[in-house]
Structure formats: structure tokens, C-alpha cells
Amino acid sequence: MKQTIPYNFIGGRIAKTGLAVFITAFICHMLDWPAMFAVITAIVTIEPTVADSIRKAYVRFPAAAIGAGFAVLFTFIFGDSPYSYAAVSLATIIVCHKLKLHDGMLVATLTGVAMISTVQDHYLSSFFIRLGTTTTGIVVSTAVNFFVMPPNYSTSIIKNIHALYRRSGDILHKRGLEIFNSQGSDGTVRSDFQRLIKDIDKTETLCHYQKAEYRYHRFSREDMRDFHYEYKKLTILRQITYHVGNLIFLPTGLPKLEEDKKKAAAAVLEEIKNSLYDPVFLITESHHKKISEVTQWFIEQKQLNPAGGLKPLTHHHVQPETAILYEVLSIHDLIEELNQIQTMEIKHRKLLKAPLEAGAQKGGEQA
């Protein structure tokens, strides 16, 4: 992907929030408006992506108008009293909920309540000043989010996906050894797997953020191709975790294996782990040989009558050993797909690079 300054989500957002607050407060000071309402709006309008800022701005403005309207109304009726605060809060939340202005509900309620103490006899002017400060906060924060340090999650996505594949390899290897050696789980594998799933979800969220940013900032076809390539890897990783999860949540009472089968299983698990560690998902000749042995083992298991099963005295069509081998072979099939995708990607980049190098060489000869 295009090399840019890495975007630190937390640090970048804090810096942009501080800048948006300063500009908003400065504008309100110049216009002699109360800066508190504008600053609150500016703080909550800084979103992870420009698309979110713009989308939620359309919600927050009418929601803020509702909160300001109720603040003026109930201050006129009850004055600056506890009844006003309670009535403004309840009315704003109910109306925003009915109108499905959920993204603007919090800021509308907070600023509506904060406005009560500032409303005196000039009810109409207070209402329009409130709308003006809200508009200032929304416009300034959206502009800052668009022009200052535009979010770029590509570097984080690439690093996260590579690290997630390594972690999935570790979890699969550890759980596989537990199964084939008939050992009980110590509980760490399940907790590691749950954390892996959560981190995959977080990385997918970053992918959605990056895709949304492409609507508002310039990008090349190569950037988009790289993004789709990484997202495809993430999709396949999720498929791999489905099979790993099936192995993790197998019931107790797994069959004991012969010593030669234990060694074969440990060897193939090591090969799969190495492939998941490799950036190009390399599959060695040794890997292919061991997978062939496991495939033959799987075929032999399918031909056996399903005696026993997952539970005592219960008939099952698939024996535990057959199910375990199926999950292992399914993971290998996905690694093969990853390797093919990586090979095609390398060829594509070479084809794109060749004309550029030829053009540069030709230009040098002419010079």
C-alpha cells in the first residue's frame, strides 16, 4: 500500500480534538458567543473517519436544535429549577429516540441541560445562538478531521493481520497437541482464542474505516487492490478460526492414538504453524508430504464403521478422529488458497513494475 505517515488512532484523534476545540472556542470568542456548547459539540464530532463525522453531523444538528428548544421552553415554564433539568433531559431523550436521532442524543441532552442556566429573558436569541454554536462546533471538527492528519489505517491493518495469523498458528498448534496427546485443556487456549476473535473484529473495523476514507481522499488503483488483498486475507483468517474453534470446543473423551499417529499429527501441526508464520504462507515439500499422510489417514477413518462416537452409548455418523482430521485438512486447504493468492499478487506487481522500469531505462538512454 501507499507509504504514508502511520496514523495513530488514539494520538491522532486527541490532537485533532484539541485543535478543533481551540478553533471552535476562538471563533465563539470572536463572535461573543458562549463557547461551552460549541466545544461540547466539537469534542463529540471528531470521529474515527471523515465519513462518520459528516454522517453524524446531519443527526447532531437537528438533535441539538431539539435540546435547545426544550431548554428554552421549560426554562420559560419552570425557570432555573430542578423541574427544568429533569423535563429537558426526559423530553430530549424521548423525542430523539422517536425520531431515531440516536447519534445526537447525548450531545443534545448535555447541551440542552447546560443551556438552562444561561437562558434569561431573551429566549429566541438564546435559541438561535445555541444553533450557531452547534453549527460552529460541527463544521470546525469535521473540517479538522478532513484536512488535518487524515486517517490512514493501512499500516495498522497489515501489521495486525500478520500478527493474527501467527497467533492463530500458536493456538492451533497448542490445541492440536492437547487433542492428539489426549491431554486436558488448561483453559488458556480458550481465553487466547476469545482474544483472537476480538482482535480480528477490531481489525475488521479498521478495514471498514479505511474503506470509508477512500470516499473522501484520493487513492490509486494500486492502493485499492492492496486493500482488497489484505481484506481477503482477513476473511480467510476468519474461516481458519472457525475450524480452530471447532477443535477448541470439542467435547471431552477424545480417542487415544498410537505413537506413530501422534508423531505424524505433531509434525503436520508444526508445518501448518510454520506456514501461518510465513508472510507468503509458504508450503514446503515436507508440508505436502505430511498432508498427504494425514489425507490417507482421513480416508481410512471415513471407511470405518462409526462405532462409539462423541458420547457413550450414542450413535454418531462421524467419529471424533475423523472430525479432527477434517478440521486440520480444512485449515490446510485455506493455507493453500492463501499461498495461491499471494503468488498471484506477486506476479501482478511484477507485471506492473516491468513497464515502469522499461520506461525509466528508455528515458535514461535518450538522455
Side-chain angles (χ1 to χ4, degrees), residues 193-297:
F193 179 75
Q194 296 295 343
R195 285 194 294 269
L196 175 68
I197 295 298
K198 290 180 180 178
D199 290 338
I200 290 175
D201 292 336
K202 291 179 182 178
T203 304
E204 188 164 5
T205 300
L206 293 182
C207 289
H208 291 316
Y209 287 163
Q210 186 64 45
K211 187 177 180 180
E213 282 301 305
Y214 286 144
R215 296 173 55 189
Y216 297 96
H217 294 97
R218 295 180 62 184
F219 63 94
S220 65
R221 292 179 61 186
E222 194 64 23
D223 291 333
M224 183 58 73
R225 181 181 177 86
D226 290 345
F227 172 78
H228 284 300
Y229 167 65
E230 294 298 329
Y231 192 74
K232 179 65 175 177
K233 286 166 59 178
L234 185 64
T235 302
I236 295 177
L237 175 60
R238 194 175 286 280
Q239 292 177 272
I240 290 175
T241 57
Y242 291 153
H243 296 290
V244 175
N246 290 338
L247 292 174
I248 288 176
F249 296 102
L250 281 171
T252 56
L254 298 172
K256 294 185 178 181
L257 301 177
E258 299 173 359
E259 196 62 33
D260 57 339
K261 288 187 176 181
K262 287 184 181 180
K263 292 181 180 178
V268 77
L269 288 171
E270 187 68 29
E271 293 289 349
I272 290 177
K273 177 183 175 182
N274 292 337
S275 295
L276 292 173
Y277 264 59
D278 194 276
V280 297
F281 308 102
L282 181 65
I283 301 177
T284 62
E285 289 297 327
S286 173
H287 188 160
H288 279 296
K289 181 178 179 182
K290 291 180 174 62
I291 285 294
S292 298
E293 295 174 358
V294 173
T295 304
Q296 184 60 37
W297 181 6

Side-chain angles (χ1 to χ4, degrees), residues 294-306 317-319 321-323 325-326 329:
V294 173
T295 304
Q296 184 60 37
W297 181 6
F298 176 70
I299 293 172
E300 293 173 356
Q301 283 297 315
K302 286 200 303 180
Q303 294 172 349
L304 297 176
N305 293 324
H317 295 285
V318 180
Q319 294 188 48
E321 194 172 320
T322 306
L325 295 176
Y326 168 78
L329 291 174

